[in-house]
Amino acid sequence: MHENSRHASFLEARDLRKSFGSLEVLKGVSLEVARGEVACLLGPSGSGKSTLLRCINHLEVLDSGRITLDSELIGYEKHGEVLREISVRQLCQQRSMIGMVFQNFNLFPHMNVVENIIEAPRLVKGVSRQDSVDRAHELLAMVGLAEKADNYPRQLSGGQQQRVAIARALAMEPKLMLFDEPTSALDPELVGEVLTVMRMLAEQGMTMIVVTHEMAFAREVADTVVFMDDGLVVERGGPDEVLGSPRHERTRSFLARTVRR
């Protein structure tokens, strides 16, 4: 357990509700994550995990509730007692604080690896080309891909593409990293190389929220495990509690099926 995970919340989500048409996907979800903490979100497909991540990054607009990161309201600003959406420019600046890694990499196929990594720092933060290229090479070395700088995504394995996607997110120097099932699209033998990078980030003190089905990773790395089902948080606690001796039958049945697979 990170020492600072016992301190005040760094990310705070309060009573989040989100519907798509008549389908209510988040039904009043609250979540707190301390600075330097790793929170793993578990649950069946359709439980609201990915939607929760997308709301934290304001890729989806909440129906109600609020999210703060490092005491800053995400996606909105207060005008008296009324919340109003911030401008696109302000939102881009906020999103630069939050790195997100998706299931399917989302790299630009027409750009090589370095170009993929430097695009956002140059456009959003105004970092010079030389500085952003230097940082890209540092990050590629960190994720074990120093020799792939000039390659294009189609020339990389899925695991390599996902590690580039992590480097691209880190290039923005985010305060928070969101991972949406980052290994689910990978062949089994490539999963380990991505999880190794994520373990390294956790050891470095990066605040992370990870949607995952990798139970061994959650048990080893998570400070907090959150089990979601049907748009609600069913159970939360340390990995030994939630994975070792869950209190709720719904959590127990989910874990039993996961282990059997």
Side-chain angles (χ1 to χ4, degrees):
M1 174 81 66
H2 296 297
E3 180 66 26
N4 52 12
S5 67
R6 294 193 291 269
H7 295 179
S9 297
F10 181 57
L11 173 90
E12 188 169 356
R14 281 277 167 259
D15 197 25
L16 306 185
R17 295 179 183 273
K18 176 65 181 177
S19 295
F20 297 100
S22 61
L23 179 63
E24 192 177 16
V25 179
L26 298 179
K27 302 178 179 179
V29 170
S30 295
L31 179 70
E32 295 183 8
V33 180
R35 191 187 301 271
E37 185 176 1
V38 178
C40 284
L41 307 186
L42 311 179
S45 297
S47 58
K49 308 182 302 296
S50 294
T51 299
L52 174 57
L53 286 197
R54 291 176 65 83
C55 287
I56 289 171
N57 207 8
H58 207 66
L59 292 172
E60 300 290 352
V61 178
L62 290 166
D63 296 330
S64 65
R66 64 181 60 189
I67 298 164
T68 56
L69 176 64
D70 201 11
S71 302
E72 184 174 340
L73 192 61
I74 296 296
Y76 299 90
E77 56 189 3
K78 289 192 75 171
H79 292 263
E81 294 302 310
V82 178
L83 292 183
R84 294 180 185 167
E85 276 202 85
I86 58 178
S87 69
V88 172
R89 183 183 60 79
Q90 289 172 297
L91 185 57
C92 285
Q93 291 299 323
Q94 281 196 341
R95 283 194 182 133
S96 71
M97 301 190 302
I98 305 173
M100 187 154 181
V101 178
F102 299 87
Q103 295 180 35
N104 294 313
F105 327 135
N106 288 5
L107 299 177
F108 298 117
H110 61 289
M111 294 182 178
N112 68 23
V113 165
V114 164
E115 290 167 340
N116 264 280
I117 294 172
I118 70 174
E119 180 80 355
R122 295 192 67 210
L123 286 179
V124 178
K125 288 193 161 184
V127 180
S128 73
R129 180 174 178 84
Q130 189 57 57
D131 286 348
S132 57
V133 168
D134 290 346
R135 179 61 174 152
H137 284 288
E138 289 175 10
L139 290 167
L140 286 171
M142 188 184 83
V143 301
L145 293 173
E147 75 287 357
K148 300 294 186 182
D150 296 324
N151 287 56
Y152 285 81
R154 65 180 179 275
Q155 299 171 309
L156 305 178
S157 70
Q160 290 170 335
Q161 289 187 62
Q162 194 61 294
R163 285 186 281 158
V164 172
I166 293 172
R168 179 178 63 178
L170 292 173
M172 294 297 284
E173 300 185 345
K175 296 180 177 183
L176 170 68
M177 284 286 286
L178 308 176
F179 293 86
D180 189 5
E181 299 196 40
T183 60
S184 66
L186 301 180
D187 292 334
E189 65 268 23
L190 302 178
V191 168
E193 64 192 49
V194 174
L195 295 181
T196 296
V197 172
M198 294 171 66
R199 286 188 188 95
M200 177 181 61
L201 290 178
E203 289 167 2
Q204 292 173 355
M206 174 62 73
T207 310
M208 297 162 56
I209 304 176
V210 184
V211 173
T212 185
H213 291 292
E214 300 291 339
M215 297 301 161
F217 174 83
R219 188 181 295 275
E220 175 190 351
V221 177
D223 297 298
T224 301
V225 174
V226 178
F227 175 70
M228 292 182 64
D229 187 37
D230 194 28
L232 293 166
V233 172
V234 175
E235 187 162 357
R236 78 185 78 204
D240 289 342
E241 300 170 68
V242 177
L243 301 179
S245 53
R247 299 184 302 275
H248 293 267
E249 174 55 34
R250 185 68 191 88
T251 315
R252 289 193 290 270
S253 64
F254 172 79
L255 292 174
R257 286 201 308 277
T258 303
V259 169
R260 280 202 298 272
R261 288 206 305 269

